[in-house]
Amino acid sequence: TWDAYADPRLLEQWRDETGEAIRYEIHISDPTSVNRLRAGETAVWDFVNLNNPWARKELWPAGLIRDLPHERFEPLYNRMFEKFAPPYHWAMSADGDHLLGVVQRFENFDFIVNSKVISPATAKNIGWDLFNDPAMAGRYGILAYEDWNVMDICMGAGIHPFRDKTAKDYSKFKKTAKQWINNARLITTDFATLNLAVINGEIDAYFSSGTYSVTSARLEGVDYLYAVTPESGPADGKGGINWIELNSAIANPDPHPDALEFLEWITQPGPAVIIANGNGNLQPVSQMAQPEVLAKFSKAQLDALQWDEFDERIANAVEYDIVPGYDRLYDIYSAAIRARR
């Protein structure tokens, strides 16, 4: 699972209500977890929380997850945002017959600016070309989430990340990767370090990022850390990438009797709010479409989420998908990191 589902409050509430403990492990990456299930760990786990394409394109075809009863779980989608109206593409098998999981957290993951220095309106308009500008050299950082960096460098190179690549695309990607990596002031896997670098005036922007990495700081009053989704870009005319987490039941040969109960339980208002606030990383959940759930968020929390722009961000983003040619792109990216001056 990702971190929100390991929040101690969530685990404690489940234990209080059911008398059962949950054993969890936090992902290193979606592909790594998929490969572990392929290697036989379906006998270990009952539940998996992954970004949207994996269930439909990898887990279900490989027999690694089980389908959910339509009559029990499809009504849950009617209590989510219209975007997820059933049958929701990513939650269904390719033939449209099988429901593969429950949607919950979702947001965009693009880049961050210091709004005192770079106008958010300007950043939205310029989009990924912000990092192509030679004047930005030494003024930005990179949050080294490698798969996201690959997708964002595609965007900056004018390449649709989720379409097949040509020789010209790989050449453009290589040029952009080298420039962006060499011109970065710092590269780290710790977004708190990047937030501090913005606060200290060391950098004015960083990618890959979104409200996920700045809401905790914004809640503490650092509201000039600003999540930006470009207004346009090379992905079907869109400049952002929208991730959607899907919670699925693993095809454990000896499944826990309450595995489906847990999948339904996490969508209830109380657990959903905890998950939205999971481990301090405030993120929207699909259940916020319900007035009683939305009402549980304070004005400060909604401001931290830049909630007034949420619909705009989602509209300007293409949905996350598996990247064709990823291994080759990753090799180019890794070589640029190793060769960084």
Side-chain angles (χ1 to χ4, degrees), residues 174-242:
K174 183 176 182 179
K175 178 181 178 181
T176 304
K178 182 178 179 180
Q179 176 186 329
W180 284 18
I181 289 166
N182 284 343
N183 286 348
R185 176 73 176 268
L186 72 159
I187 301 175
T188 176
T189 58
D190 181 12
F191 61 73
T193 296
L194 289 162
N195 289 342
L196 187 61
V198 174
I199 293 167
N200 291 339
E202 298 173 49
I203 59 174
D204 298 323
Y206 70 88
F207 75 91
S208 302
S209 188
T211 59
Y212 174 85
S213 60
V214 296
T215 46
S216 56
R218 286 176 59 84
L219 278 168
E220 293 176 3
V222 190
D223 58 358
Y224 54 87
L225 283 168
Y226 208 93
V228 172
T229 292
E231 293 172 348
S232 61
D236 302 330
K238 299 183 178 185
I241 298 175
N242 170 213

Side-chain angles (χ1 to χ4, degrees), residues 23 31 34 48 58 60 64 75 79 112 130 143 160 163 180 204 213 229 242 249 251 269 278 281 283 290 298 316 325:
R23 182 165 63 91
V34 171
V48 66
E58 297 288 339
W60 175 255
L64 300 175
R79 293 153 56 189
I112 297 298
L130 179 72
L143 180 60
H160 195 314
R163 297 285 182 268
W180 284 18
D204 298 323
S213 60
T229 292
N242 170 213
N281 293 322
Q283 289 290 265
Q290 302 170 42
S298 68
N316 289 336

Side-chain angles (χ1 to χ4, degrees), residues 135-151:
M136 283 295 291
R139 293 177 54 198
Y140 65 87
I142 298 176
L143 180 60
Y145 289 1
E146 296 166 342
D147 53 343
W148 281 98
N149 296 163
V150 165
M151 291 184 278

Side-chain angles (χ1 to χ4, degrees), residues 29-299:
S29 73
D30 285 350
T32 297
S33 294
V34 171
N35 287 336
R36 286 175 57 176
L37 292 177
R38 287 185 181 278
E41 291 195 20
T42 50
V44 177
W45 309 104
D46 289 284
F47 167 90
V48 66
N49 164 256
L50 294 168
N51 282 303
N52 48 288
W54 300 101
R56 177 183 174 93
K57 293 189 172 182
E58 297 288 339
L59 297 178
W60 175 255
L64 300 175
I65 56 174
R66 51 183 171 140
D67 58 347
L68 304 180
H70 281 261
E71 65 279 2
R72 179 175 181 180
F73 285 91
E74 194 167 274
L76 300 178
Y77 280 83
N78 293 319
R79 293 153 56 189
M80 301 178 188
F81 290 100
E82 186 177 352
K83 172 184 176 70
F84 303 116
Y88 177 58
H89 171 78
W90 289 117
M92 303 299 297
S93 58
D95 60 14
D97 292 337
H98 303 277
L99 182 62
L100 308 181
V102 176
V103 166
Q104 196 151 38
R105 296 198 308 173
F106 70 114
E107 241 293 16
N108 289 5
F109 205 63
D110 302 307
F111 63 87
I112 297 298
V113 299
N114 179 347
S115 64
K116 291 182 177 181
V117 180
I118 301 171
S119 159
T122 299
K124 292 176 192 177
N125 181 258
I126 295 173
W128 293 105
D129 277 339
L130 179 72
F131 301 98
N132 289 326
D133 184 351
M136 283 295 291
R139 293 177 54 198
Y140 65 87
I142 298 176
L143 180 60
Y145 289 1
E146 296 166 342
D147 53 343
W148 281 98
N149 296 163
V150 165
M151 291 184 278
D152 291 345
I153 292 169
C154 281
M155 290 288 212
I159 302 164
H160 195 314
F162 308 127
R163 297 285 182 268
D164 290 335
K165 313 299 186 294
T166 64
K168 184 177 180 181
D169 289 336
Y170 288 113
S171 178
K172 289 163 62 179
F173 180 89
K174 183 176 182 179
K175 178 181 178 181
T176 304
K178 182 178 179 180
Q179 176 186 329
W180 284 18
I181 289 166
N182 284 343
N183 286 348
R185 176 73 176 268
L186 72 159
I187 301 175
T188 176
T189 58
D190 181 12
F191 61 73
T193 296
L194 289 162
N195 289 342
L196 187 61
V198 174
I199 293 167
N200 291 339
E202 298 173 49
I203 59 174
D204 298 323
Y206 70 88
F207 75 91
S208 302
S209 188
T211 59
Y212 174 85
S213 60
V214 296
T215 46
S216 56
R218 286 176 59 84
L219 278 168
E220 293 176 3
V222 190
D223 58 358
Y224 54 87
L225 283 168
Y226 208 93
V228 172
T229 292
E231 293 172 348
S232 61
D236 302 330
K238 299 183 178 185
I241 298 175
N242 170 213
W243 56 267
I244 304 112
E245 289 178 350
L246 192 73
N247 300 292
S248 299
I250 290 173
N252 190 313
D254 183 23
H256 192 286
D258 286 338
L260 298 190
E261 185 70 26
F262 181 74
L263 271 175
E264 184 174 4
W265 179 79
I266 59 176
T267 71
Q268 303 308 306
V273 171
I274 293 173
I275 289 164
N277 290 273
N279 283 338
N281 293 322
L282 182 61
Q283 289 290 265
V285 290
S286 59
Q287 291 77 29
M288 289 171 74
Q290 302 170 42
E292 64 270 30
V293 175
L294 185 62
K296 295 181 182 294
F297 291 81
S298 68
K299 182 180 185 303

